[in-house]
Amino acid sequence: MLDLPELLEKIFQDLKHHDLAQCAQVNKHWHALTVPFLWRDVTCVCIGGSRRKAFRRIVLEDYLQENGRERGLSQPSALLKYGQLIRLLPSPRDLESVLRSHDYTQQGDKPTAHALLQHLFKRSSEAQVESLRYPFQGHESDEMESILAFTLPRLRSLFIQGTLQGTQSGFFKFKSVLDQCSTTLRYLDVDMKLQWEYGTDMEVEASENESDCWTSLKELSLRYNTDYEDAGQFWSWMWKRCGQVKHLQVFMIDKTTPSLVQAMSLYMPNLQELTVGIHSQASQYGDPERVMEDDVVAALLSGSSHGWKAVSIRATARLERETINALATHYSTLKELHIDGHSNLPNRDLIQILRYCPHLRSLSYINLFNDGSVVDGATFIDLDPDTGLLKPWLCEGSLKSLAVKIANIPRPDLPSGGFQKQEEYPGQGREMQNQVYDRLGSLTSLETLRLSNRFGTFRDDCLEMSLESGLDKLSGLKSLQELHVTKMATKIGIKEARWMVENWPKLSVIYGLGVNRWDVDARLHLSDGDYKQNVSIPPPSKTDDFIVAFTSMLFDQLWHALTIPHIWRDLTYVCMGSETSEIFRRIVLEDYLQEKRYKKRPPQPSTLSKYGHLIRLLPSPEKLESALRSEAFAQRGIKPTAHDLLFQLFKRSSKAQVKSLRYKFKDLESNKMKAILAFTLPRLRSLDIQASFQGTQSEFIKFKNVLDQCSTILENLNVDLTMLHADEAFNMDDKATENESICWTSLKVLTLRHHPDIWDAGPVWSWMWKRCGQVEKLCVRNIDQSTPGLVQAMSVNMPKLKEIIIGVTYTDRARNLYGVMEDDVVAALLSGSRHGWKAIEMQSTVKPGQKSMDALAMHYSGLEEAHIHVHCCLPSHVVVQVLRSCPHLHTLIYSNSSSGRSVVGVKAFIDLDPNTGLLKPWLCEGSLKILEVKIAGIPRPDLERKRVVREAYPGQGREIQSQVYDRIGRLTNLERLGLGDGYGTAMGIVGINEGVTEIKTQICPCAQVNKQWHTLAIPHIWRDLTYVNSYDAKSKAFSRIVLEDYLQENGHEDGPPQPTALSKYGHLIRFLPSPETLESILRSQACIRPGTETTVHGLLFHLLKFTSKAQVEHLSYRFKDPESDKMKAILAFTLPRLRSLFIQASLQGTRSEFFKLKSVLDQCSTTLGHLNVEIDIKRADEAVDMEDNATEDESISWTSLKELTLRHSPDPWNAGRCWSWLWKRCGQLERLNVRKIDVSTPSLVKAMSAYMHNLQRISIGDYNLFHWVIDPEDEMEDDVVAALLYGCHGLKSVSMLSTATLGQETMNALAMHYSTLEELNVDGSYELPSRDLLVQVLRSCPHLRSLTYTDYSSGNAMVFGESFIDVDPDTGLLNPWLCEGSLSVLSLKLIVPQPDLGNGKVLEESYPGQGREIQSQVYGRLGRLTNLEALKLGDLVHIYEHECLEMSLESGLEKLSGLKSLKELNVVGLATKIGDKEIQWMTENWPKLSFIYGVYKNGKDWRR
């Protein structure tokens, strides 16, 4: 039967590309049948890395073969044979992206992506093109002209954007573009701004081709099409071609309206659907002129001659009387009506629509993301005043979907507050609810009933949805499938749940259950009940525990009494989410207004006045002010400030402690700060104080008074003081001794940061040391002249010291802030403990020497933990001495996170006794549990790559390895063994010869083989010198080469002149490192001989003289108005050759400054690939003049600039135009990194859409690994992040880093890019506004290749397994994800119950076996991601997680057998159960698996 070709073709036409490819490999007969289907639609080549590479190779192979550059091919290429079968191509932009980076090059020219694209066009002459996004400019490049010539006659969807300045030539070019579109065009989106004064000529010319019509065009969109009145007839020639349009979308149109309205009735007889305006989220970021007035909307509604069937009126469209009257003319035909909830539609007019539309099937008057207008319950009932009966609605038999928020219903069963409305007479609330149920019960065809929005405010003036309130009157809704009651104070209990299932046979899902006590009972009942239909109860939206408990206590007195103390005891979580903050803010505001008599006092006291005394812990004042800053409620013009509300809260919580305070000391404090300090300091647990002293006695006394207020509950003190001078130190010390008896009895951790002072200021510290008698842990980030006083205090005043941390992690910012701690300072600190250290940690900024090592040896007898992360290498024998001499040592970590050079020589590690040849005994052999060292210097003759140490005799390598294993084998209690790191050189199991520091590149030995190899290798060695800063030996060798040539040229070298290496090969240099790096390299050779003094600057310019053709890798430049001659010379050489520029400036806004800065950037040539800008404009009074002058060089553009980074550049509002000249040069930009930007945001957002048409990738925010370093002001608010996303069109990659706030507005903006998104990286520092957000991304992004949701600072980025499963409530099956065939990297932390683990449980099982059931479903979901290459479920930095996947065969691991492409699995930090069975199964079923991180084999991560 399967031999029938007709039957096979019928089957093949419904298969996906992956299945077709499998069928094509069965036999020749099936191959011949499937090939036409495989090549018919190639839009899938943009999805997935493997498909992109394969298609790129096919096109490249055919291109090279045709151009005679591919030899030895006896058969025609695949594209030549099957190209004529292609019927549908993706957009040219996507195709260029696929063809841009090819893996094959010949000796000749490298074909560009455009050349390959044109070659593909030539082979697919009969294909259609899916879409084209075209920025119309009038003067097109040759590349764009060729693309348009091919695509326009074959196009299905066109989006055209631009501005016509009114010239006749511009009009004809624009018209000629649309003239080329054939009848295949289905969707047209026009965004044109027109200014015209020759309307008559246009009309005559346009009328010549009136007969042309886009017969397939069904949808027309018009965006922001503003023009002059006399240019209205410009559009008429286009209207005449739209005769088949059915759906018209008008996002913004103004003076063109009369022309369009006339065309709708004359030329568009098939119009049925109309969309007016844009969504409320998008409307917040743009020109206010985009609002469409009432008369314009009304005119558009009156344009249909046959009546509209579907109308959608969004937020920017005014809905007033004219529009309402125009809409009334279409009641007889209207089937669907969607009105944004922000529109001010009177309730009576909404009821008129329901009353008089006989065919209405769907009505939505609700905003799904914000609180829009509500419908009054009394109005919704719609009673006849004469008879007292319900008025009939014509849509009662046709309405299937109703979305309205019915409110203003009295609820006497709830406490007063919120939106509560009082009853006018007893029983009014229940009576009104009964009538509303009667009205809803009359809509017998209803399938979806939405009474709330998902992200709005919790409402308590809604329907009760209980049988006691009249729910049984809805028994006639037999077709009801969906019920939405999210954020409503309902009472749906077990009785109601049973009644719904019995009376609504088609009910499949109820949204909103799970918030209060009754909802939880109903959820469990529906989950466990045995009913015919399966009713799905999705989890509620991202709701904080505060909201859950708060809404639960509203209904039951018992629950109220039990939950109240737990709700109010710890309020540190009220700052974690917007919904929680909003409720808490309302509670504080209500109490404030009531006390100030701005609000009439109700019979009961306010919530805060009743329960404020229960508060025991508050968050920091900064976070509280942020939570209270945006009040949603004000009365009679009285709007209290956040400071007023903060002190109202302080007054009510008199017994509370404060979690933390970050305080910058000032001599003259504001009254506000004084009041905050007066409340917080006596209640403080953690204090971070920073100050800069001049050394006066008054300053000292005020500072001391601040710390005197801290009580005994202070646990953590972080001090950052700078003392400039202290002439009165003696008197201050006398003053300080008055309160010696004061001691912080709870202080356990003391941190000292950045404290330089002069020698006579030492006594200033003594008064503080005397209060630290209970300190157990001391962290010294940097301290210098105060060391003697501190060391003495450690032994005299701090007897309980056990742990010490010296220095900070080595980063550029840490180096600038803290510098390096010298050997004598470190040694002094180590010798300060009276009873010996138990834990010592030395960070990267520490520079240990012999003194430090001798001081460390004093504590061997009691040392238990040693963490050494120093930047420089310690001698190997020192590390081994620690292991040999510490009897109680259980942890030793010796690594470096920046250089990776901290290694221990293998001979020293083995530690043989030279007399006996046996291993020396180590005192820690029975106690050591954690050992992390990098052992190097092992000969490996079996390897032929990298830095292999040669054997002195055959078998030496194996012999040494055996001795190392013997040494490690004696550590019998070892629990964790780390022999590598994730930062330094990728050594793997390759050894480094101990004592050898000069490491050459792999090509350098090739130059020493013979003369021929030398000639071939030399150009490659000298071409790129950016690697000379990698190792010290390379730097010294290179600096010697430059110095030798310099001395010879200046006559300082004796002997006959011979050509130096630089003079012979300098002309070959094409790439140089940054000038700063070059100066650092050459500094060691300056002033090398007496009488031949050479400055670094002299050597640098001597080198630059030989490298006239070279490009410069990077320049970090701090702009100054009067620039030094040295910097001018450096700029003159580097700027025209620069690849990457980081420029930093602070401008006062003068014209001269601006032009000097602009002249610097004007010197940058087209080689500039990356620009990093950090400019602060204080004022810009001459912004207009600067803008006028800036436009003179508009034609200048950085054609190679692909990446732009903006950092912390606030400016006043009138300086926005100062940026425009910069934006205009970024036309080729592909990636934008916005680390911090504030007032310039509108200017940037506008520029993104106007000038940056190639923008594909955006990164917002910055990493926040050190919370105490980054200023809270660096955080980017939700609206700013959303604005940046709205400014882009079709992003492929989005990164949200730590300082970018992820709110609801940002998530809505992100949804605009789902269709093109390929990579999404979300930092988990902030909670997502919705638990289902990531699942929504996975569900809706067809091209997604990588999704990362991690957090390296707090470890809170978790995804619950139940949300990740994403089950269809109707069928009980997994919902399809559009990215299932494209996703290759997935990184997130899945949380599921593990009942067999006893520690650290967060999730409890609701019923026995739930954990295994959820795990099985999660495996089923992961198993559908067939192209997955990397699955990362753990992270490297956070706690051991128990609530995770077991990854065992018993839990369902075999469901992942379809992941044939999986290469990497990460389960670091997870309590998995991966044993030998699982490892064997993985290697058999995942043939490409290379690494498993977190599963250790021989002390290292498992690898194949």
Side-chain angles (χ1 to χ4, degrees), residues 39-41 84-89 126-129 156:
W39 285 85
R40 180 175 57 185
D41 182 358
Q84 73 275 6
L85 299 175
I86 300 175
R87 292 296 178 267
L88 185 59
L89 288 169
E126 299 182 9
Q128 294 182 12
V129 182
R156 288 187 175 185

Side-chain angles (χ1 to χ4, degrees), residues 1011-1202:
K1011 290 184 178 180
Q1012 182 182 4
W1013 280 48
H1014 182 274
T1015 304
L1016 294 174
I1018 279 295
H1020 298 282
I1021 294 174
W1022 283 86
R1023 178 179 178 81
D1024 186 353
L1025 295 184
T1026 57
Y1027 63 87
V1028 296
N1029 61 336
S1030 301
Y1031 300 100
D1032 292 338
K1034 293 180 181 179
S1035 302
K1036 292 179 181 178
F1038 181 73
S1039 59
R1040 281 197 302 270
I1041 289 173
V1042 178
L1043 180 66
E1044 177 187 357
D1045 188 77
Y1046 178 87
L1047 295 176
Q1048 181 170 317
E1049 184 177 276
N1050 290 275
H1052 297 302
E1053 283 287 342
D1054 299 330
Q1058 294 183 356
T1060 63
L1062 185 61
S1063 62
K1064 288 194 296 183
Y1065 306 123
H1067 67 282
L1068 299 174
I1069 301 174
R1070 293 295 179 268
F1071 302 106
L1072 284 171
S1074 66
E1076 301 96 320
T1077 303
L1078 282 174
E1079 286 196 354
S1080 175
I1081 292 171
L1082 299 174
R1083 183 167 290 115
S1084 62
Q1085 296 298 323
C1087 304
I1088 193 169
R1089 297 181 187 176
T1092 60
E1093 284 79 5
T1094 57
T1095 64
V1096 177
H1097 189 61
L1099 292 178
L1100 176 62
F1101 277 92
H1102 184 75
L1103 170 65
L1104 298 181
K1105 184 173 63 174
F1106 288 94
T1107 57
S1108 57
K1109 298 181 181 180
Q1111 295 180 15
V1112 182
E1113 183 182 35
H1114 176 73
L1115 175 65
S1116 295
Y1117 170 50
R1118 187 176 185 89
F1119 174 79
K1120 297 179 182 178
D1121 195 354
E1123 204 58 77
S1124 64
D1125 294 336
K1126 171 186 172 182
M1127 182 53 71
K1128 287 181 181 178
I1130 291 176
L1131 293 177
F1133 178 86
T1134 57
L1135 289 176
R1137 300 165 172 83
L1138 208 55
R1139 284 182 170 187
S1140 174
L1141 173 62
F1142 172 36
I1143 186 167
Q1144 184 179 16
S1146 179
L1147 303 181
Q1148 297 299 326
T1150 63
R1151 184 199 296 256
S1152 61
E1153 278 184 320
F1154 172 78
F1155 283 128
K1156 288 180 182 178
L1157 174 64
K1158 184 172 177 294
S1159 66
V1160 170
L1161 293 178
D1162 283 343
Q1163 297 178 58
C1164 296
S1165 72
T1166 56
T1167 61
L1168 188 65
H1170 182 194
L1171 177 61
N1172 192 328
V1173 181
E1174 182 175 342
I1175 299 179
D1176 182 7
I1177 302 180
K1178 304 298 182 185
R1179 55 183 173 83
D1181 299 331
E1182 306 175 29
V1184 176
D1185 295 336
M1186 288 191 286
E1187 173 65 15
D1188 293 341
N1189 284 279
T1191 57
E1192 293 176 4
D1193 297 324
E1194 282 185 11
S1195 60
I1196 298 177
S1197 177
W1198 295 311
T1199 54
S1200 299
L1201 187 64
K1202 304 300 182 184

Side-chain angles (χ1 to χ4, degrees), residues 653-817:
S653 52
S654 57
K655 298 181 180 180
Q657 296 179 11
V658 181
K659 187 175 182 181
S660 64
L661 174 65
R662 180 177 294 179
Y663 170 49
K664 189 167 185 177
F665 175 79
K666 297 179 182 178
D667 195 358
L668 299 175
E669 285 299 348
S670 63
N671 293 330
K672 169 186 172 182
M673 181 53 71
K674 288 181 180 178
I676 290 177
L677 292 176
F679 178 86
T680 57
L681 289 176
R683 300 165 171 83
L684 205 57
R685 287 188 175 182
S686 176
L687 173 61
D688 183 352
I689 187 168
Q690 182 180 9
S692 179
F693 280 173
Q694 298 296 327
T696 63
Q697 188 168 6
S698 61
E699 277 182 321
F700 169 77
I701 294 174
K702 290 179 182 178
F703 176 73
K704 183 174 175 295
N705 289 337
V706 171
L707 292 182
D708 280 344
Q709 298 178 58
C710 295
S711 72
T712 56
I713 64 173
L714 188 66
E715 299 174 356
N716 189 346
L717 177 59
N718 197 329
V719 183
D720 187 352
L721 297 186
T722 301
M723 189 77 68
L724 301 181
H725 61 83
D727 297 333
E728 305 175 26
F730 182 76
N731 294 334
M732 287 190 288
D733 189 39
D734 291 343
K735 195 76 177 178
T737 57
E738 292 178 2
N739 295 319
E740 285 186 12
S741 60
I742 298 177
C743 181
W744 295 309
T745 54
S746 299
L747 187 65
K748 303 299 181 185
V749 181
L750 174 63
T751 302
L752 304 174
R753 298 197 239 168
H754 203 51
H755 303 106
D757 52 27
I758 59 176
W759 63 273
D760 57 349
V764 174
W765 299 95
S766 59
W767 65 272
M768 190 170 71
W769 308 143
K770 296 173 183 178
R771 303 190 175 191
C772 303
Q774 302 300 319
V775 172
E776 297 179 356
K777 183 175 181 179
L778 177 64
C779 306
V780 184
R781 302 307 185 191
N782 184 24
I783 198 165
D784 194 3
Q785 282 87 354
S786 303
T787 310
L790 173 60
V791 172
Q792 182 180 1
M794 290 162 62
S795 58
V796 175
N797 306 114
M798 307 179 195
K800 296 187 177 182
L801 274 179
K802 299 177 182 177
E803 305 177 30
I804 187 169
I805 298 176
I806 308 175
V808 295
T809 302
Y810 197 93
T811 63
D812 291 337
R813 186 162 189 176
R815 178 178 56 191
N816 295 333
L817 285 174

Side-chain angles (χ1 to χ4, degrees), residues 713-983:
I713 64 173
L714 188 66
E715 299 174 356
N716 189 346
L717 177 59
N718 197 329
V719 183
D720 187 352
L721 297 186
T722 301
M723 189 77 68
L724 301 181
H725 61 83
D727 297 333
E728 305 175 26
F730 182 76
N731 294 334
M732 287 190 288
D733 189 39
D734 291 343
K735 195 76 177 178
T737 57
E738 292 178 2
N739 295 319
E740 285 186 12
S741 60
I742 298 177
C743 181
W744 295 309
T745 54
S746 299
L747 187 65
K748 303 299 181 185
V749 181
L750 174 63
T751 302
L752 304 174
R753 298 197 239 168
H754 203 51
H755 303 106
D757 52 27
I758 59 176
W759 63 273
D760 57 349
V764 174
W765 299 95
S766 59
W767 65 272
M768 190 170 71
W769 308 143
K770 296 173 183 178
R771 303 190 175 191
C772 303
Q774 302 300 319
V775 172
E776 297 179 356
K777 183 175 181 179
L778 177 64
C779 306
V780 184
R781 302 307 185 191
N782 184 24
I783 198 165
D784 194 3
Q785 282 87 354
S786 303
T787 310
L790 173 60
V791 172
Q792 182 180 1
M794 290 162 62
S795 58
V796 175
N797 306 114
M798 307 179 195
K800 296 187 177 182
L801 274 179
K802 299 177 182 177
E803 305 177 30
I804 187 169
I805 298 176
I806 308 175
V808 295
T809 302
Y810 197 93
T811 63
D812 291 337
R813 186 162 189 176
R815 178 178 56 191
N816 295 333
L817 285 174
Y818 305 108
V820 176
M821 299 187 69
E822 298 297 333
D823 181 36
D824 55 346
V825 177
V826 178
L829 292 171
L830 290 176
S831 61
S833 175
R834 182 193 302 177
H835 304 290
W837 299 109
K838 290 188 176 181
I840 296 176
E841 183 171 344
M842 288 188 284
Q843 295 287 356
S844 302
T845 55
V846 172
K847 189 177 181 180
Q850 189 58 45
K851 293 181 181 179
S852 301
M853 297 303 100
D854 294 342
L856 179 63
M858 297 169 54
H859 307 281
Y860 284 167
S861 60
L863 195 62
E864 296 180 359
E865 296 183 23
H867 300 259
I868 305 174
H869 305 285
V870 295
H871 185 64
C872 55
C873 295
L874 289 177
S876 298
H877 69 86
V878 174
V879 180
V880 175
Q881 185 65 29
V882 174
L883 292 164
R884 188 190 299 159
S885 308
C886 297
H888 305 294
L889 190 70
H890 61 73
T891 299
L892 174 64
I893 298 176
Y894 175 49
S895 65
N896 180 263
S897 60
S898 59
S899 67
R901 292 183 290 169
S902 301
V903 298
V904 176
V906 64
K907 293 182 179 179
F909 184 80
I910 295 171
D911 197 18
L912 290 176
D913 189 327
N915 298 323
T916 62
L918 302 177
L919 298 179
K920 290 182 179 180
W922 287 356
L923 295 182
C924 66
E925 290 177 355
S927 61
L928 196 65
K929 295 182 178 180
I930 298 175
L931 175 64
E932 292 187 11
V933 293
K934 188 188 291 186
I935 306 171
I938 304 175
R940 289 294 305 274
D942 54 320
L943 298 179
E944 298 179 357
R945 59 185 179 87
K946 293 192 176 181
R947 304 176 300 278
V948 180
V949 179
R950 298 182 179 179
E951 289 185 320
Y953 53 87
Q956 183 195 24
R958 287 293 175 88
E959 178 184 336
I960 292 177
Q961 290 186 60
S962 178
Q963 292 172 331
V964 172
Y965 296 142
D966 287 338
R967 170 57 72 191
I968 297 176
R970 299 181 67 166
L971 307 175
T972 54
N973 286 329
L974 207 59
E975 298 177 358
R976 190 175 78 193
L977 176 63
L979 299 177
D981 61 42
Y983 302 96

Side-chain angles (χ1 to χ4, degrees), residues 74 822 982 1480:
S74 57
E822 298 297 333
Q1480 182 180 357

